Structure formats: C-alpha cells, structure tokens
Amino acid sequence: VDKSSQRLTIAIQKSGRLSTESIALLQACGFRFSLHEARLLAHSSNQPVDLLRVRDDDIPGLVMDGVVDLGLVGENVLDEVRLERKATNISYDFTRLRALEFGQCRLSIAVPKEDNYQGLADLQGKRIATTYPYLLQNYLQQQGISASNAILTGSVEVAPRAGLADAICDLVSTGATLEANGLIEKEVIFRSQAQLIQRPGSLPAAKQAIVDQLLPRIDGVQMAKE
Ligand code: ATP
Ligand code: ZN
C-alpha cells in the first residue's frame, strides 16, 4: 500500500461473517467495486477508493499503524487488539467513526451443562479456553476473579470435553454450537457489532472529503433500514 496515495484505503474482511455486509454497505454508499475472489486489493471504479481485503484480525492493527485509512471490523476483535497492544506497549490509537449495526454477537463464558454453576466465583482458579485472552482477563480482573487462559485459535467449544479447560469464553449468536457441545452460556462479558474506524492523525484533504461524504451516507442507509 502506497501511503502517500491520494486514494482512500478501506480494510474489510476478505471472507467471513462481515464480508457481505461490509461490501453491501459501501456499495449502498455509492462506491462501485468489481471484486475478484483472489485479489487482495480492489479499486473503486467511480471514486478514488481502494478496498484491502484481509483477515478480520489484521484490520485493527492496519488502522492503528496507519497502513490503511479506514477499517470495518467487529468491536470484539478491535477491543482485543487494543488491549493486547496496550499491554505490549504498541500504539493503539484510532478514531471510532460509526457503529455499523451488523455483525452483532456476544462474547460469553459457558460451562459444561452438568456443572452446578452458581456464579463467577466458581471460576476462581479455573482454566478457561478462549481466542480472546485480553478481553477475558480484562473482565475477570474487573470482577475480582483469577483464572488462567487456555489460548486456542479455533475449536474452543470442544476444550472442556477434551480436558483442556474447565470453561470457555467464545462468541455466541444462537447458542446452537454450545448446546451441541454440552455447554451452557452463563455470563455475557462483551456485546459486539461491526465498527467503522479511522487511523490516527489527520487525513489529507482529498481523503477527508471522501470520508465527509461517506459518513452521512452511512447514516442515511441506517435510517432507511429502521
Ligand atoms: P477471518 O478468516 O477473517 O479471521 P474469522 O473466522 O475470524 O475470519 P468470522 O467467523 O467470519 O471470523 O467472524 C467475523 C466477525 O463477525 C466476528 O469477529 C464477530 O465480530 C462477527 N460475528 C457476527 N456474528 C457472529 C457469530 N454468530 N459468530 C461469530 N462471529 C460473529
Ligand atoms: Zn478472524
């Protein structure tokens, strides 16, 4: 990515739960894109705007490092990266422009159904499997609970049965995955939706003008949905 470029660069998730709605929103805001499955970069044909299509986990860092101008990402991933960077002394500055009203989910603690779970105190000294170690520890600390993380990048919900952890902390939408793995949701620790974020510092005037045009269009699209 050429940082001196006058084209506004927007990072979105390449393929996953946020992709379709991210592209649909930008198109509804008047940007035209032709997307080629294999390509990382997509140029808008009617605006000086480029889409960078990456894994959602990479989006907050790309924005915070100023490698891209804007990013569309789940608040769960955004906050996890922010806490991780804060803890490891990497800059975590960014501007939140809009909550996007899609990608809703919650990060919850779930325990095996047969456990006689009474409350958070039952997690004291236990091991909790998660992909979100910073959000989890941030929450436990606020609640005065000390538990250890078992950090997994996937298949978190099988960890208790596999003997890797006593509980899990994972994203939930319907609870069907939990149910299928004999788990029951007990504590919601974070509620999330997709966010539009901007890199720190001011944008060159040409890019700022596009953002100034984009934001009221997003508001319009959201208003029309209500
Ligand atoms: P990537 O390959 O980009 O890393 P991923 O597997 O990490 O993809 P997805 O499962 O596509 O990510 O989810 C992307 C984001 O969508 C989540 O971080 C969350 O913000 C949001 N989301 C919305 N609904 C759900 C859901 N039911 N389960 C999980 N995530 C959801
Ligand atoms: Zn991801």
Side-chain angles (χ1 to χ4, degrees), residues 8-221:
L8 187 82
T9 311
I10 307 176
I12 63 167
Q13 188 186 25
K14 183 165 198 299
S15 75
R17 290 183 156 105
L18 301 177
S19 307
T20 307
E21 281 173 289
S22 297
I23 292 166
L25 175 64
L26 294 171
Q27 286 176 334
C29 289
F31 300 149
R32 248 178 268 139
F33 298 100
S34 52
L35 299 174
H36 300 276
E37 202 30 59
R39 294 211 189 125
L40 182 73
L41 205 62
H43 305 289
S44 169
S45 57
N46 65 336
Q47 293 262 21
V49 172
D50 293 334
L51 283 189
L52 187 70
R53 300 159 73 217
V54 294
R55 290 201 57 184
D56 66 341
D57 314 75
D58 297 334
I59 295 173
L62 289 169
V63 172
M64 292 167 186
D65 290 336
V67 177
V68 298
D69 300 305
L70 304 182
L72 280 69
V73 68
E75 206 168 359
N76 52 318
V77 170
L78 176 61
D79 236 42
E80 178 69 14
V81 172
R82 185 182 62 82
L83 289 171
E84 180 181 7
R85 286 186 158 228
K86 195 172 175 184
T88 52
N89 280 311
I90 302 173
S91 66
Y92 55 91
D93 221 21
F94 66 93
T95 304
R96 193 181 306 256
L97 296 179
R98 286 295 184 276
L100 297 178
E101 300 176 359
F102 63 84
Q104 282 94 347
C105 57
R106 56 192 191 272
L107 186 65
S108 294
I109 294 174
V111 303
K113 245 189 277 187
E114 60 277 12
D115 281 14
N116 176 29
Y117 181 90
Q118 302 289 328
L120 274 176
D122 291 357
L123 296 173
Q124 184 66 34
K126 296 286 175 62
R127 185 186 303 277
I128 306 173
T130 191
T131 315
Y132 297 89
Y134 286 93
L135 279 175
L136 173 61
Q137 286 302 333
N138 188 55
Y139 174 80
L140 292 175
Q141 217 166 49
Q142 282 168 9
Q143 304 292 323
I145 303 293
S146 138
S148 57
N149 291 332
I151 302 173
L152 300 174
T153 58
S155 305
V156 168
E157 65 286 349
V158 305
R161 263 205 312 220
L164 299 175
D166 304 297
I168 72 160
C169 171
D170 204 4
L171 293 179
V172 180
S173 54
T174 64
T177 308
L178 293 182
E179 175 74 38
N181 285 282
L183 300 169
I184 185 158
E185 184 178 9
K186 290 295 185 182
E187 314 281 349
V188 177
I189 77 164
F190 194 86
R191 289 188 189 276
S192 180
Q193 62 179 307
Q195 303 281 332
L196 174 67
I197 57 173
Q198 183 179 315
R199 69 168 167 81
S202 57
L203 296 175
K207 290 184 179 185
Q208 187 61 53
I210 301 172
V211 174
D212 290 343
Q213 183 185 62
L214 174 63
L215 295 181
R217 288 183 181 180
I218 290 176
D219 297 340
V221 169

